[in-house]
């Protein structure tokens, strides 16, 4: 196992009715900015619950944060923060709202010329406004980690800072009952691929991390289709397990002390940035291709994945690995997700532009070994056609 330091400071308030925890969790003296997206929280009752919980607080609101949050939208919140002397942010929504709010938190106190510089140029984030979140769509794990992804002019780029780690997160699985099938599918697959990016690398004998990861994968495989099926769609236990799995997939626990990949995400970001494809739908397209192209480097872990997750023990190594990849694709399809570029109306002709973007963004040595060069990324995309 590799050396590591692990510390997660986000307090989780989990369960039905936990939005009321906002009353005590946010200081009464705080001036709060509630951020959200397109207004679905006003239709599913979440907004009303937040308003009730904040009835003793001074608060304002900022709406319109998009899926794959845009810099041009987020930067508008800075004036509102200055005008009202805001000192606490509350994101109410899915991962995009949380990511966007993390950017707002850091941008509000950024001392440079352009807050985009801490993303595109790696300028240090020295401070940020405290933030918390009410999660409505389990998927990204952003509610309890220090990372975020923001898009500007078609460039979808990540940043990380301990200053934007949420102080607390409210996870009420009952609020997910109003999600569309597409949102459910995206969330389950996003969490699944987050787990795979930290698991499907090479062994360092991290037995605890491996078995945690395998448990998350099995849970998502079991519960994901139930959230789409008519007879179990409203089962709160199903939604609870999915919600907690998505949080645990990217709160730092399963990635501590083990190598990580993230090539699927970096390649997927270019598909979203260039073509606006849902983040999770890029992952369901790219991951199987990464598994195929990088099967030699991932040989040992692929066999472990095949046996422990899919119960594949018959046949030689190649047969088991191939079948494990096929079953992964079948799972994605059962979640109504694309697994090929042609499923989203893209093909060979679109690959050159995607590779150019990867090079432009410095994604030259991806993967757990740093050996996924632009040419290997090209092969991955060709395999995904």
């Amino acid at each position: 196992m590799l050396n590591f330091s692990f510390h997660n400071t986000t307090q989780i308030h989990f369960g039905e009715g936990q939005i009321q925890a906002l009353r005590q969790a946010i200081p009464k003296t705080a001036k709060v900015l509630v951020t959200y997206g397109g207004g679905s929280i006003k239709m599913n009752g979440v907004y009303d619950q937040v308003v009730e919980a904040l009835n003793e607080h001074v608060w304002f609101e900022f709406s319109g944060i998009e899926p794959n949050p845009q810099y041009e939208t987020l930067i508008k919140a800075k004036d509102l923060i200055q005008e009202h002397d805001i000192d606490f942010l509350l994101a109410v929504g899915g991962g995009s709202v949380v990511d966007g709010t993390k950017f707002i938190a850091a941008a509000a106190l950024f001392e440079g010329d352009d807050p985009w510089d801490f993303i595109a140029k790696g300028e240090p984030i020295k401070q940020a406004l405290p933030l918390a979140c009410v999660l409505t769509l389990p998927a990204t794990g952003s509610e309890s980690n220090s990372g975020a992804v923001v898009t500007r002019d078609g460039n979808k780029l990540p940043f990380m800072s301990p200053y934007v780690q949420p102080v607390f997160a409210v996870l009420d699985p009952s609020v997910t009952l109003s999600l569309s099938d597409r949102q459910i599918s995206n969330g389950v697959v996003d969490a699944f691929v987050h787990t795979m990016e930290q698991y499907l690398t090479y062994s360092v004998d991290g037995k605890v991390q491996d078995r945690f990861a395998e448990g998350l994968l099995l849970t998502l495989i079991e519960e994901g289709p139930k959230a789409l099926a008519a007879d179990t769609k409203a089962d709160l236990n199903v939604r609870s397990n999915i919600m907690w799995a998505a949080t645990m997939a990217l709160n730092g626990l399963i990635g501590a002390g083990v190598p990580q990949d993230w090539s699927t995400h970096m390649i997927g970001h270019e598909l979203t940035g260039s073509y606006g494809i849902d983040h999770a739908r890029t992952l369901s397209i790219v991951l199987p291709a990464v598994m195929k192209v990088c099967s030699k480097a991932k040989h040992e872990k692929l066999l472990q994945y095949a046996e422990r997750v899919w119960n594949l023990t018959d046949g030689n190594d190649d047969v088991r690995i191939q079948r494990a990849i096929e079953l992964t694709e079948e799972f994605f399809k059962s979640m109504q997700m694309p697994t090929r570029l042609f499923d989203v109306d893209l093909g060979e002709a679109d690959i050159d532009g995607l590779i150019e973007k990867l090079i432009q963004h410095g994604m030259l040595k991806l993967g757990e070994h740093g050996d996924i060069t632009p040419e290997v990324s090209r092969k991955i995309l060709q395999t995904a056609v």
Side-chain angles (χ1 to χ4, degrees):
M1 193 185 307
L2 307 177
N3 291 354
F4 67 89
S5 297
F6 175 71
H7 182 53
N8 192 304
T9 58
T10 302
Q11 183 177 17
I12 302 294
H13 300 287
F14 190 99
E16 192 170 6
Q18 285 282 42
I19 290 176
Q20 290 305 308
L22 297 176
R23 293 180 183 277
Q24 303 302 324
I26 300 176
K28 290 293 195 299
T29 56
K31 289 187 177 181
V32 184
L33 182 64
V34 176
T35 61
Y36 58 96
S40 62
I41 63 169
K42 292 186 175 180
M43 294 182 283
N44 61 17
V46 173
Y47 181 85
D48 290 340
Q49 291 186 61
V50 171
V51 169
E52 182 184 354
L54 294 180
N55 63 8
E56 296 180 9
H57 290 79
V58 175
W59 63 279
F60 306 87
E61 61 184 80
F62 178 82
S63 64
I65 298 177
E66 311 90 346
N68 303 305
Q70 302 290 319
Y71 168 89
E72 292 79 11
T73 298
L74 303 172
I75 200 66
K76 295 175 184 176
K78 192 172 181 181
D79 290 340
L80 191 61
I81 288 169
Q82 292 174 343
E83 178 185 354
H84 297 291
D85 197 24
I86 301 293
D87 55 13
F88 196 97
L89 305 181
L90 178 66
V92 182
S96 291
V97 173
V98 180
D99 278 11
T101 304
K102 288 178 176 180
F103 174 83
I104 292 169
L109 302 182
F110 185 64
E111 297 176 348
D113 295 329
D114 184 352
W116 186 247
D117 289 346
F118 65 70
I119 298 178
K121 297 181 180 179
E123 292 289 330
I125 297 173
K126 299 179 180 179
Q127 55 186 336
L129 292 175
L131 71 132
C133 61
V134 175
L135 189 69
T136 62
L137 199 169
T140 69
S142 188
E143 66 275 5
S144 64
N145 65 42
S146 59
V149 183
V150 173
T151 300
R152 186 180 190 182
D153 299 328
N155 300 295
K156 183 175 180 178
L157 299 175
F159 74 95
M160 296 190 72
S161 169
Y163 291 106
V164 299
Q165 178 94 18
V167 177
F168 68 85
V170 174
L171 276 62
D172 180 346
S174 70
V175 308
T176 71
L177 294 174
S178 63
L179 295 175
S180 68
D181 284 359
R182 187 176 182 120
Q183 290 172 316
I184 293 167
S185 297
N186 282 349
V188 168
V189 169
D190 199 2
F192 187 93
V193 179
H194 286 161
T195 306
M196 291 288 277
E197 295 269 42
Q198 300 163 89
Y199 169 76
L200 196 68
T201 55
Y202 58 89
S203 177
V204 292
D205 203 28
K207 293 180 178 179
V208 173
Q209 297 92 322
D210 279 2
R211 294 193 188 277
F212 262 122
E214 289 154 2
L216 294 174
L217 295 172
L218 286 166
T219 297
L220 293 165
I221 290 167
E222 291 171 3
E223 302 298 283
K226 293 179 185 176
L228 298 178
D231 58 340
T232 48
K233 181 181 284 287
D235 189 325
L236 204 56
N237 288 323
V238 170
R239 300 306 183 99
S240 296
N241 280 305
I242 290 173
M243 190 170 231
W244 190 228
T247 295
M248 294 296 289
L250 202 58
N251 67 356
L253 180 66
I254 66 170
V258 298
Q260 301 182 28
D261 184 349
W262 301 109
S263 60
T264 295
H265 272 71
M266 296 305 103
I267 296 170
H269 284 171
E270 303 304 349
L271 284 164
T272 298
S274 295
Y275 299 103
I277 303 166
D278 298 8
H279 171 61
R281 293 168 75 83
T282 72
L283 303 181
S284 62
I285 292 168
V286 176
L287 177 64
V290 169
M291 296 168 78
K292 293 169 187 175
V293 172
C294 303
S295 60
K296 184 175 181 180
K298 298 178 181 293
H299 183 87
E300 181 182 357
K301 270 302 188 67
L302 276 167
L303 287 174
Q304 181 177 312
Y305 170 70
E307 179 177 352
R308 294 188 183 179
V309 175
W310 296 111
N311 296 314
L312 299 173
T313 57
D314 295 332
N316 62 34
D317 289 2
D318 291 341
V319 168
R320 280 179 282 156
I321 288 173
Q322 181 180 346
R323 184 57 182 152
I325 297 172
E326 289 173 352
L327 287 170
T328 304
E329 291 182 302
E330 288 176 18
F331 167 62
F332 291 161
K333 291 175 182 176
S334 77
M335 294 304 301
Q336 305 171 9
M337 300 292 279
T339 58
R340 295 288 188 276
L341 287 174
F342 66 69
D343 292 335
V344 292
D345 300 320
L346 298 178
E348 188 85 31
D350 302 295
I351 292 176
D352 283 348
L354 294 167
I355 297 301
E356 288 174 10
K357 282 289 188 180
L358 281 168
I359 294 171
Q360 176 186 332
H361 296 145
M363 304 299 171
L364 308 178
K365 296 181 178 180
L366 300 176
E368 63 268 31
H369 297 291
D371 57 358
I372 298 181
T373 62
E375 282 309 305
V376 178
S377 293
R378 180 184 298 277
K379 188 175 182 182
I380 289 168
L381 287 167
Q382 289 170 336
T383 302
V385 171

